[in-house]
Amino acid sequence: MSPTLSHLDELEAEAIQILRETAASFERPVLMYSIGKDSTVLLHLALKAFWPGKPPFPLLHIDTTWKFREMIAFRDETARRLGLDLRVHTNQEGLAQGVNPFASGSKVHTDVMKTQALRQALDMWKFDAAIGGARRDEEKSRAKERVFSFRDRHHRWDPKNQRPELWNLFNTRINQGESIRVFPMSNWTELDVWLYIWKHGLPVVPLYLAKPRPVVERGGTLIMVDDHRMPLEPGEKPRMVSVRFRTLGCYPLSGAVESEADTLDKVIEEMLRAKTSERQGRLIDHDQSGSMEEKKREGYF
Amino acid sequence: MSFAELKEGERLREYLERYERTELLRFLTCGSVDDGKSTLIGRLLHDTGRIYEDHLAALERDSKVHGTTGGGLDLALATDGLKAEREQGITIDVAWRYFATNTRSFIIADCPGHEQYTRNMATGASHCQLAISLIDARKGVTTQTRRHAFIASLLGIRHVVAAVNKMDLVGWSEDRFREIEREFFLYCQRLGISEPAAVPISALQGDNVVRRGTNSPWYAGPPVLELLESVPVDRPSPDAPFRMPVQCVIRPDLDFRGFAGQIAGGSVKPGDRVRVLPSGRESRVVRIARAQEDGGDLPYAAAPQSVVLTLADEVDCSRGDVICCVGDDPAVTLGIECDVVWMQEQPLVPGQRYLLRTGTKTTPCTVRRVRWLLDVDTLETSPAESLRMNEIGRVQLECEERVVVDGYRDCHATGALVLVDRLTNATSGAGMVRLPTEIGARRAHWETQAAETLERADAKPSLVTAEERERRWRHAPRTVLIYGPPKSGKTRAALELERQLFDAGAAVVVLDGQALRRGVSKDLGFSDEDRSENLRRAAEIAKLLNDQGFTVILAMVAPDPAARARARALIGEGRWEERGMGVASSPEH
C-alpha cells in the first residue's frame, strides 16, 4: 500500500520541511504576507506545517498605501479569521516626502516604498529570517536563487557568492545583524499554485476573478482606477471593462487583462491557454533589462 | 502534443485531476555552452510550450545583442539568468527550470560545465534522479564526460543519459554514434551505473529532443523527452527501514505532543514500534496527525512525506533525534567515514573543526584524517594530506556528539552531510557517509557464504601431496602482495621478483590487478568496494594456485588496509607476504 506521491504532494512536503527548518533554526522568523495567490498558498502551508499549533511567527505586510482596497480588506479578514499576528509597516519618511507611483515613477516608488520599507521593518522588529512566496520560475534571475538565501547586514544579495545547497540540509547559520530570505515554494510553478488553491478550496482576493471594473489605458496597459488619487487626463473617463489580474501589487503598477473568467475554474482554464507570462503585467519589471536582479541585490524580495 | 495542455473538449476538472497526479522527476544537465546544453534546455522548454511570448520577445532582443546564432533566435540565452552570464556568454551557477508534460512534471538543475563544475554538479545532482550529459558528436567522450558520469554515480544517480549532440555536423553517421555510445556505456559500467542510455540529437534543429527526427532512421530508441517521461523515478522505497529525523516538537497544549519531520526512508503506520535514537528508547506510534479539514489522521505515510507523529510513551525526543523502526538500526556513532566534495577556497586539513549537519542534527566535528584523494579523471586514489576546492576524497571525521547515520547508498536522506565553516558560516563541503555494512559495500564478497550443497574441498583429495609438490619445486608456495598507487612501480617490482624466483627454479605466477579487470573482474569499477572485491578475487585465485604448489605475486592498488587484512586471512598467515610501494607506512602496519 504505497500510493505514489503526486508532484503536488511532493512540493507540499518539501515546503513544509523548509518552513519547519526555519522555525527551528531562527530566533525571530517572519512570514512575508503580500496577500496575493502565492502568499495564500504559503500561509496555508505554514498553517499545515505547525498544526495543531499555530505558525510560530507573525505575518508582515509592507503597505505602500497604493495596494488595491480589496487586497487590504482581504488581508485584515484573513488575519482575523485565522487569529494570526499581523504586522503592517509603511515607510513613513517616503510617505512624508510624497513618494508615489505617479510623481516619482515606478522605480523610485518601488525602491522607497517597498525595498526600503522592507529593510526598515526587518531592522525594527529584528527579524532574522523572512519567509517569502517567490518562485524560481517567475523570472530569470530568480532561477538561481537559493531556498535559504543569505543577506548581509545591509540586506544585500550577492548572486555570485551564494552558499551551495545540497539535499535538504540547509545552512541556516548567520552572524548578528545578517539575515536569511527563505523561499519554501522555490520549486512551484504558477500552475502548481493555482492547482493547489483549487484542490484545497482556498479563498483568494476577488481581483483575480473577472468583473467589470473602471480602467484607463496607460502605455498599452489597462490600469484600474481604484481610488481618486489616479490622475486622469483632461476629459478622460474611466471605462467599465470586464478585467482580472494575474498578479497583484500596487494598483497603478498592476496591469489588468481583459477577461470574462469570473470563476476560479475559468481563470485556470484561461491561464492554460495563455501565451504570456504572469509577470508581463508588472510594470516594475520592465524598467530595464536585468531589473529584477538589480532590485534583488538591493534587498527587494 | 506531449506537453501539459488542455486537450480539446477536456473538462478542466479532468485536466486538473490528471495534472495533479503526475509524477515529479528532477534531472540535471551537464556540459559546457559549447556542447549545446543551454540550447537543449531551451529546445525542451520551447517545444513543450514553456517559453511565453513576452519571454520569447525578450529572447529575440537579447539574441541580437549577445547571441551566437547571427541574430537568429539563440535559445541558449533563455537559460542564462544573471547579467554577468549574459554578457560573458557563460553560466556561473546552477539554474533551475520547470516544465510539465501530460505524464510528468520536471525540474531541471542546469549545471555549468567548466569552472567550479564539481561543486555545481554535486549540488545539482544531490537533488536529482537522472543526469543528462551533453556530448559533442565531433569530440566524442571526453574527460569532461567521464567526470560528469563519475559525479552522478558518486551522488547515487542510477540513470545517466548521453545526449550525443550536433549529429548534423557528423552527417548523422550511425557509426560515429555507436562508437560514442559503446565507449560511454563501458565507462558507466566501470562506475556501476546500471541504467545508461544514449540518444543522437541535434539540439539546434530539434531532432530527437521532443520529437523524433527524420535524419536517424537507424535509431530505434526514444527521443530525449520520451526517455524522461518513461524512466522509472527512483524514490526511497517504502519497504526500506523507517527513518524520520525530528525537525521540531509541536506542543500547542498539554494534551498534544507531536514530533514533526519529513520521512527520510521507509514508511510508518499507527501501531508500529519505533526507537528514538541516539537514546535508544522504544515506543509505539499512536497517530500520524492531520487536521480534519485536510482529511484527518493518516493511516500510513512514506518518504518523502512531511508528517507529525505522536508516540504512546513520554519519551525524551527533540530536534536532532531520529525516530526509526525497531530492528535494522542505523549507525549511532562518533566517528564517520565519508566521501567529501570540498567546496571552499580554504582546504580541508586534518585537525580542523567544522560544524557537521546530518539529518536535523548539528554538531561540531574534527577532521581526523584524509584517507585518500580521488582523481576524477582516472578514478584512481592517491594518499593526500588535504582536500582543495573541487577535490573529492575519503575523509574520517570525529563528532563531539553521537550522530545517527545510514550509509548513503542505503538512504540518501540520512547518509548525507554538509560541513559548515565555524567562522565564516560558509557551506564548506558535502559528504556521503560510507559504512562497511551498507548495500554497496556488499559488492565485496568477503562474507558471502558459498552454497551449502557444494562438496567439501577435501572430499576428493589430490593424488599428489603438498610435500611432493614442495620437493618438485624446491620451495613452499607463498602469496606476495605488492601494492601501491598507480605508477608506483609495483608491476615492475612484481616482474623482477618473478624473474628472480623463476631463476631459482620456483613455479611462479604473476597476477596483475589490471589484467584481472580485463576478464575475471570486468564487472567491477573503481570504488573502494569494487577494489576490495578485486583483491578478494585475486586472493581466491592465489589460494587455489598455492594449493597446487605455485607461488603467486599479486600486483594491485589495494589501498584499504582492512581488505588487505582479509586477503591475508584468506591465504593464511604463514603463506602471506605484502610489500607497499610508494606509500608512507600508515598506522595500521
Side-chain angles (χ1 to χ4, degrees):
Chain A
M1 58 177 281
S2 62
T4 21
L5 234 45
S6 76
H7 85 277
L8 207 60
D9 294 333
E10 203 173 320
L11 292 174
E12 181 191 67
E14 178 181 273
I16 288 175
Q17 191 259 350
I18 294 162
L19 285 160
R20 288 172 177 167
E21 281 306 287
T22 312
S25 311
F26 293 92
E27 281 172 30
R28 298 174 69 87
V30 64
L31 187 143
M32 301 297 304
Y33 181 68
S34 61
I35 316 167
K37 62 185 192 301
D38 301 306
S39 284
T40 296
V41 171
L42 184 63
L43 180 57
H44 184 79
L45 291 166
L47 293 169
K48 215 166 168 175
F50 301 98
W51 183 88
K54 288 242 168 86
F57 37 72
L59 310 187
L60 173 63
H61 180 231
I62 299 302
D63 193 347
T64 60
T65 73
W66 289 92
K67 301 293 168 188
F68 291 92
R69 285 174 298 166
E70 279 180 274
M71 288 174 74
I72 301 301
F74 184 88
R75 175 194 76 187
D76 295 341
E77 162 59 18
T78 300
R80 192 196 52 75
R81 178 169 49 89
L82 299 169
L84 299 171
D85 174 8
L86 171 73
R87 319 267 175 102
V88 177
H89 178 73
T90 299
N91 183 350
Q92 296 300 333
E93 292 164 38
L95 206 60
Q97 287 162 8
V99 173
N100 74 64
F102 301 112
S104 328
S106 69
K107 193 164 187 276
V108 171
H109 169 75
T110 302
D111 180 52
V112 175
M113 299 308 287
K114 288 179 87 171
T115 308
Q116 301 304 328
L118 173 62
R119 291 163 58 155
Q120 287 171 355
L122 295 179
D123 288 342
M124 181 168 69
W125 279 298
K126 297 191 167 50
F127 292 126
D128 52 1
I131 307 163
R135 295 175 281 109
R136 286 173 177 152
D137 88 323
E138 278 177 73
E139 206 271 342
K140 274 184 181 186
S141 69
R142 288 216 198 269
K144 313 217 162 175
E145 179 64 282
R146 298 298 188 262
V147 174
F148 283 75
S149 184
F150 179 79
R151 296 292 185 277
D152 67 14
R153 272 160 221 283
H154 310 290
H155 304 281
R156 293 177 69 95
W157 181 57
D158 182 0
K160 282 203 235 167
N161 188 22
Q162 301 194 78
R163 295 173 175 176
E165 271 180 347
L166 295 103
W167 302 287
N168 62 0
L169 300 176
F170 299 109
N171 179 356
T172 54
R173 309 279 305 178
I174 48 168
N175 291 324
Q176 194 76 39
E178 297 166 346
S179 63
I180 298 274
R181 301 280 168 92
V182 187
F183 303 108
M185 294 164 62
S186 286
N187 288 324
W188 295 53
T189 63
E190 186 187 11
L191 179 55
D192 295 328
V193 168
W194 279 119
L195 184 57
Y196 194 85
I197 289 171
W198 177 83
K199 189 182 165 192
H200 293 272
L202 307 181
V204 291
V205 184
L207 292 160
Y208 284 115
L209 308 180
K211 198 175 105 173
R213 296 186 170 96
V215 295
V216 291
E217 203 177 308
R218 288 284 183 277
T221 306
L222 292 179
I223 300 294
M224 179 173 156
V225 184
D226 197 41
D227 58 33
H228 62 274
R229 291 178 295 176
M230 177 95 197
L232 297 176
E233 308 289 323
E236 188 182 35
K237 268 200 165 164
R239 292 185 289 141
M240 289 303 280
V241 181
S242 180
V243 293
R244 63 179 177 86
F245 295 85
R246 272 180 93 177
T247 57
L248 294 176
C250 297
Y251 83 79
L253 301 176
S254 299
V257 286
E258 274 191 72
S259 166
E260 299 293 333
D262 54 0
T263 64
L264 188 56
D265 281 32
K266 288 182 191 164
V267 168
I268 296 176
E269 196 167 338
E270 272 194 3
M271 189 205 57
L272 288 169
R273 303 190 192 286
K275 297 276 184 274
T276 54
S277 78
E278 60 189 311
R279 295 201 76 90
Q280 202 227 4
R282 289 223 168 179
L283 302 183
I284 57 167
D285 287 357
H286 304 302
D287 295 338
Q288 64 190 94
S289 178
S291 68
M292 174 67 88
E293 183 181 340
E294 298 298 322
K295 285 202 295 288
K296 278 171 64 62
R297 280 167 177 274
E298 295 297 324
Y300 180 78
F301 239 88
Chain B
M1 280 297 159
S2 55
F3 53 88
E5 41 156 47
L6 204 53
K7 292 176 187 164
E8 208 48 52
E10 186 180 27
R11 291 185 28 227
L12 183 80
R13 188 157 298 269
E14 290 160 358
Y15 170 85
L16 292 180
E17 278 164 5
R18 179 164 62 80
Y19 178 67
E20 204 261 307
R21 279 194 307 272
T22 60
E23 260 188 312
L24 183 60
L25 178 80
R26 299 174 201 234
F27 67 94
L28 71 149
T29 51
C30 33
S32 63
V33 185
D34 307 335
D35 297 331
K37 175 178 60 78
S38 301
T39 313
L40 172 68
I41 296 171
R43 177 60 67 186
L44 278 172
L45 298 177
H46 183 262
D47 288 7
T48 54
R50 274 297 298 175
I51 300 184
Y52 290 116
E53 277 174 0
D54 52 319
H55 289 166
L56 211 56
L59 207 58
E60 276 162 8
R61 280 198 303 277
D62 285 350
S63 296
K64 292 203 171 74
V65 185
H66 307 295
T68 53
T69 49
L73 190 62
D74 188 353
L75 287 172
L77 293 172
T79 60
D80 291 331
L82 302 174
K83 244 184 163 175
E85 295 178 336
R86 284 197 299 281
E87 282 161 13
Q88 297 169 44
I90 55 161
T91 314
I92 296 168
D93 206 340
V94 181
W96 301 88
R97 315 277 159 206
Y98 304 82
F99 72 101
T101 69
N102 276 331
T103 48
R104 281 197 178 153
S105 291
F106 297 98
I107 299 180
I108 314 176
D110 178 11
C111 301
H114 47 102
E115 259 184 288
Q116 307 279 325
Y117 78 94
T118 304
R119 164 183 157 144
N120 282 322
M121 227 203 105
T123 301
S126 76
H127 300 275
C128 292
Q129 297 125 336
L130 179 145
I132 297 180
S133 176
L134 261 291
I135 297 177
D136 184 329
R138 295 168 302 175
K139 296 181 200 153
V141 172
T142 60
T143 304
Q144 204 185 60
T145 314
R146 283 190 280 269
R147 289 177 183 181
H148 294 153
F150 170 72
I151 296 169
S153 77
L154 184 75
L155 273 290
I157 293 179
R158 294 197 310 132
H159 302 280
V160 182
V161 180
V164 182
N165 192 22
K166 305 193 184 179
M167 282 300 294
D168 48 321
L169 300 183
V170 295
W172 288 95
S173 156
E174 177 178 9
D175 287 349
R176 180 63 184 143
F177 172 73
R178 296 297 173 204
E179 188 188 338
I180 294 169
E181 181 186 51
R182 209 161 29 244
E183 197 182 341
F184 181 73
F185 283 8
L186 211 61
Y187 194 74
C188 285
Q189 204 173 41
R190 277 179 72 186
L191 293 169
I193 293 169
S194 51
E195 323 254 353
V199 187
I201 65 165
S202 165
L204 199 65
Q205 295 165 359
D207 297 69
N208 296 335
V209 178
V210 171
R211 294 175 195 88
R212 193 171 293 281
T214 50
N215 289 307
S216 51
W218 41 265
Y219 174 71
V224 174
L225 184 65
E226 201 179 311
L227 201 69
L228 293 172
E229 286 182 306
S230 58
V231 294
V233 178
D234 288 332
R235 304 191 172 286
S237 160
D239 305 324
F242 174 68
R243 307 280 189 257
M244 193 191 86
V246 176
Q247 287 189 278
C248 52
V249 182
I250 294 177
R251 193 156 203 193
D253 54 58
L254 291 174
D255 299 329
F256 189 93
R257 185 156 167 264
F259 303 100
Q262 184 172 25
I263 300 176
S267 58
V268 69
K269 54 186 189 311
D272 282 0
R273 293 213 59 81
V274 288
R275 207 196 300 273
V276 179
L277 293 174
S279 76
R281 291 288 173 76
E282 275 192 41
S283 187
R284 194 169 41 80
V285 174
V286 179
R287 296 173 61 191
I288 308 172
R290 194 172 63 169
Q292 265 323 318
E293 56 269 32
D294 281 318
D297 284 5
L298 290 158
Y300 166 94
Q305 278 176 275
S306 285
V307 293
V308 181
L309 304 181
T310 65
L311 302 181
D313 310 277
E314 281 274 316
V315 288
D316 185 16
C317 177
S318 57
R319 179 172 171 84
D321 291 340
V322 183
I323 301 180
C324 304
C325 56
V326 175
D328 232 333
D329 284 4
V332 179
T333 176
L334 285 175
I336 291 181
E337 176 145 341
C338 54
D339 284 325
V340 168
V341 179
W342 198 243
M343 299 177 156
Q344 74 171 18
E345 289 289 347
Q346 228 172 5
L348 169 142
V349 288
Q352 213 131 48
R353 293 176 78 223
Y354 296 95
L355 284 175
L356 177 142
R357 170 72 198 270
T358 180
T360 53
K361 178 83 180 170
T362 303
T363 173
C365 75
T366 306
V367 177
R368 277 281 159 256
R369 191 159 99 98
V370 178
R371 289 192 55 198
W372 63 73
L373 171 73
L374 205 126
D375 184 324
V376 182
D377 299 333
T378 62
L379 302 183
E380 278 159 356
T381 54
S382 58
E385 297 296 316
S386 65
L387 287 186
R388 286 172 303 173
M389 181 137 93
N390 287 316
E391 286 184 339
I392 298 169
R394 177 63 59 90
V395 172
Q396 286 173 341
L397 303 169
E398 183 84 17
C399 303
E400 286 185 13
E401 293 167 276
R402 287 189 302 166
V403 292
V404 181
V405 289
D406 283 291
Y408 182 73
R409 287 187 195 81
D410 291 345
C411 183
H412 287 196
T414 47
L417 60 88
V418 294
L419 296 171
V420 175
D421 190 291
R422 291 159 58 99
L423 289 177
T424 62
N425 290 330
T427 304
S428 314
M432 285 129 289
V433 176
R434 303 300 182 202
L435 293 181
T437 52
E438 68 187 295
I439 295 165
R442 288 176 213 140
R443 279 173 70 84
H445 291 289
W446 298 102
E447 305 288 354
T448 308
Q449 297 293 317
E452 281 175 18
T453 51
L454 284 177
E455 278 186 29
R456 285 170 55 85
D458 56 359
K460 293 193 184 98
S462 169
L463 301 177
V464 183
T465 66
E467 290 72 29
E468 284 177 286
R469 293 183 201 274
E470 275 196 43
R471 272 202 304 280
R472 162 76 59 88
W473 305 117
R474 286 177 300 188
H475 82 138
R478 298 174 67 76
T479 293
V480 183
L481 169 67
I482 300 179
Y483 70 94
K487 302 195 175 63
S488 59
K490 49 187 186 305
T491 303
R492 174 188 289 261
L495 296 176
E496 281 169 10
L497 179 62
E498 179 191 33
R499 183 77 241 175
Q500 211 181 322
L501 293 173
F502 183 86
D503 289 345
V508 61
V509 175
V510 171
L511 289 182
D512 185 273
Q514 290 297 320
L516 288 177
R517 286 182 177 281
R518 281 195 281 276
V520 173
S521 295
K522 65 180 171 191
D523 58 322
L524 296 181
F526 293 81
S527 65
D528 30 317
E529 290 79 16
D530 282 4
R531 285 190 192 280
S532 177
E533 173 64 6
N534 196 31
L535 178 61
R536 188 193 67 84
R537 291 181 192 179
E540 293 280 8
I541 296 168
K543 185 172 152 61
L544 290 172
L545 290 169
N546 283 168
D547 288 345
Q548 316 285 331
F550 293 89
T551 278
V552 180
I553 303 167
L554 304 177
M556 309 192 67
V557 177
D560 181 8
R564 294 200 299 272
R566 284 170 168 237
R568 174 199 295 260
L570 184 78
I571 298 288
E573 194 70 42
R575 278 179 170 179
W576 178 262
E577 195 182 313
E578 59 181 69
R579 299 178 189 173
M581 302 292 292
V583 275
S585 64
S586 49
E588 280 85 359
H589 293 248

